[in-house]
Amino acid sequence: MTQADIPATHAALLPADTPSVPVTLVTTASWSEAEAALEPAHRRFAQTIGFKPKAGSLALLPGPDGGLARVLFGLGDPEAATYDRLIAGKLPALLPDGTFRLENAPDPAEAALAWLMGSYRFGRYRTAGGTKARLAAPAGIDGAEVARVAAAVAMGRDLINTPANDLGPAEIEAAARSLAERHGASIDVTQGEALAREFPLIHAVGVASPRAPRLIDLTWGPADAPRVTLIGKGVAFDTGGLDIKPSAAMLLMKKDMGGAAVALAAADMIMGGGLRVRLRVLIPAVENAVSGNAFRPSDVLPSRAGLSVEIGNTDAEGRLILADALALADAEEPALILDFSTLTGAARVALGPDLPAFFTEDEALAASVSEAGRRAIDPIWRMPLHAPYASLLDSKVADLNNVSGGPFAGAITAALFLRRFAPKTKAHGHFDLYGWNPATKPGRPEGGEVQTARLTYALLKARYGA
């Protein structure tokens, strides 16, 4: 592998033969052997400072000239239930400026990806530089693949972290256009009168903002390949509309386009990986704002699918824009539809910020998604699509209400609402995610996170590898 094989977006990954300082990764089981193999001076130094191989422990071992000769890094116990497979992602923030190489990594490609994801810093508004610890690619890994995945993650994180004053519907479109140009994809955007006519729910949610709503439609791949459609919720900022959020709940609403960021990041991986699919990415991009023409509680709105929707709450806008996109996707009857959204607080109450909820009626899809999440270290938890709860969305004046009107099963009723708009597609998966790391963890800095993007790539690579 040469430097030319590594995307320039990841200068943190260098060719395997780059001069570098060794980082010896040790577990609780391997430490005795690794300690015995150290040079005597390094062994004494490690003993003097009391180094133990607990997860995240670090020892910088000096050379005779006072420079850095070797690093010891503890992995802890890989057999423990709490073991973090991305633990190597802590290293870029702990190490000084320089180039390093990993020794004894249980999975070198996994460790390299963790390193690159841990190297991420959102620096758009800061003058200070980011981390300068670089990694010589472990021998034998596909460095270009690791770099592509990490670059896609960074792109999605950047989108989520960018505040709404610099990221509205037009800027989401610009990001999609840039991605399409890079991969030779085609893109079509519907807005204005055509949006109001063809996608009335998307139009209704976004019309109150001076930043025009739109539907972004990207396609890539051979026309005769299996059709896969990704749909991402692109609410650039969510005030809650006329059912306005309290200030504390509005504080992180720049991340309400996290589903769009996930769809674009996954698409970047899929196209970059050359998977044999006919990929379609649909992003309804809006801002849910407040003005005189905002949609109101109790309004009855038409939808692309022909179903009428009574508005029980204007802060349940994500499912409305996804509904029109799902109706468009379902008409094509693709082999698979996956939709991504920061949809409900109920999913966070049930599963917390780290574990997206996943809904599907397809048992085979559920099993393969769970396995892909395990492989990609991008976990989800399947939640039930309990059909009897659909009655909670009944309306006395329309085909259905956009909320249940009660405190129970909020994530399930939201998923059931969406299911009404894709009745033809059995293989339909819905991800209800948080899109944010509340605190820094290895490989996952605090801030925007494209949860389920790597899972999606692992799933499709297993099915439709190039």
Side-chain angles (χ1 to χ4, degrees):
M1 183 184 64
T2 67
Q3 182 62 46
D5 296 321
I6 302 172
T9 46
H10 261 289
L13 187 65
L14 301 178
D17 58 0
T18 304
S20 52
V21 175
V23 179
T24 302
L25 305 179
V26 294
T27 67
T28 52
S30 69
W31 171 231
S32 295
E33 182 178 349
E35 183 182 25
L38 291 173
E39 296 177 12
H42 286 164
R43 189 183 315 120
R44 287 194 299 272
F45 189 90
Q47 292 168 349
T48 299
I49 64 173
F51 175 81
K52 301 294 181 186
K54 65 181 181 180
S57 59
L58 186 79
L60 305 179
L61 306 183
D65 61 353
L68 183 59
R70 180 176 292 275
V71 176
L72 300 176
F73 183 71
L75 301 179
D77 180 5
E79 301 301 319
T82 55
Y83 178 69
D84 189 340
R85 287 161 56 197
L86 294 176
I87 185 66
K90 288 179 68 75
L91 282 163
L94 297 175
L95 293 172
D97 184 11
T99 302
F100 301 85
R101 68 179 182 274
L102 300 176
E103 295 182 343
N104 303 338
D107 185 321
E110 201 170 84
L113 179 61
W115 180 296
L116 295 189
M117 294 201 303
S119 296
Y120 173 82
R121 299 292 181 273
F122 181 60
R124 177 170 177 171
Y125 303 100
R126 300 176 69 92
T127 55
T131 181
K132 296 181 180 179
R134 297 168 296 278
L135 178 67
I141 74 164
D142 186 343
E145 166 84 346
V146 170
R148 278 196 304 268
V149 170
V153 169
M155 179 268 292
R157 287 172 172 174
D158 279 350
L159 290 173
I160 299 173
N161 285 324
T162 301
N165 60 308
D166 283 332
L167 190 83
E171 288 75 23
I172 296 174
E173 177 188 334
R177 287 190 180 278
S178 176
L179 189 66
E181 181 178 0
R182 181 149 53 87
H183 292 290
S186 62
I187 192 166
D188 183 65
V189 176
T190 305
Q191 55 185 319
E193 292 183 5
L195 186 76
R197 182 176 60 254
E198 298 173 27
F199 304 96
L201 290 176
I202 299 173
H203 171 78
V205 171
V207 71
S209 172
R211 303 195 285 183
R214 64 207 66 202
L215 178 74
I216 301 160
D217 188 347
L218 178 152
T219 55
W220 173 89
D224 62 346
R227 294 180 179 273
V228 173
T229 300
L230 310 181
I231 304 175
K233 173 186 169 185
V235 179
F237 193 82
D238 182 20
T239 65
L242 291 175
D243 287 311
I244 195 165
K245 295 176 182 289
S247 59
M250 210 184 297
L251 190 60
L252 272 183
M253 282 301 100
K254 69 177 184 179
K255 77 173 182 66
D256 213 22
M257 43 61 64
V262 169
L264 290 174
D268 195 7
M269 298 175 202
I270 292 162
M271 294 186 288
L275 302 192
R276 196 181 184 284
V277 295
R278 177 64 169 177
L279 179 67
R280 191 178 196 183
V281 180
L282 299 175
I283 297 176
V286 304
E287 180 178 32
N288 189 19
V290 177
S291 71
N293 62 343
F295 73 119
R296 296 164 288 262
S298 80
D299 280 357
V300 176
L301 303 177
S303 70
R304 180 179 179 85
L307 296 170
S308 59
V309 181
E310 181 182 11
I311 303 304
N313 193 306
T314 64
D315 195 21
E317 85 299 331
R319 66 198 69 182
L320 297 174
I321 65 173
L322 290 173
D324 271 355
L326 279 165
L328 176 64
D330 190 57
E332 198 175 55
E333 297 188 54
L336 176 64
I337 295 176
L338 298 176
D339 72 72
F340 313 90
S341 57
T342 50
L343 204 64
T344 70
R348 305 289 69 75
V349 171
L351 300 177
D354 299 343
L355 202 56
F358 177 66
F359 297 85
T360 188
E361 294 171 330
D362 187 322
E363 296 300 324
L365 177 61
S368 57
V369 163
S370 179
E371 171 59 19
R374 186 200 63 77
R375 289 198 312 272
I377 324 173
D378 198 4
I380 53 89
W381 194 267
R382 188 186 183 189
M383 298 279 277
L385 267 171
H386 186 54
Y389 284 168
S391 64
L392 298 175
L393 296 169
D394 287 349
S395 167
K396 295 180 180 178
V397 297
D399 290 320
L400 72 168
N401 201 297
N402 76 323
V403 294
S404 66
F408 302 123
I412 297 173
T413 54
L416 288 166
F417 178 91
L418 294 177
R419 192 71 191 105
R420 290 286 297 274
F421 295 87
K424 298 177 183 177
T425 307
K426 179 188 176 186
H428 169 209
H430 162 58
F431 295 95
D432 188 338
L433 51 96
Y434 193 53
W436 192 264
N437 296 318
T440 295
K441 295 182 179 181
R444 292 147 293 187
E446 181 179 348
E449 188 58 85
V450 285
Q451 293 169 319
T452 72
R454 290 182 293 110
L455 177 160
T456 298
Y457 179 52
L459 172 73
L460 296 180
K461 187 176 181 182
R463 289 189 176 192
Y464 310 114

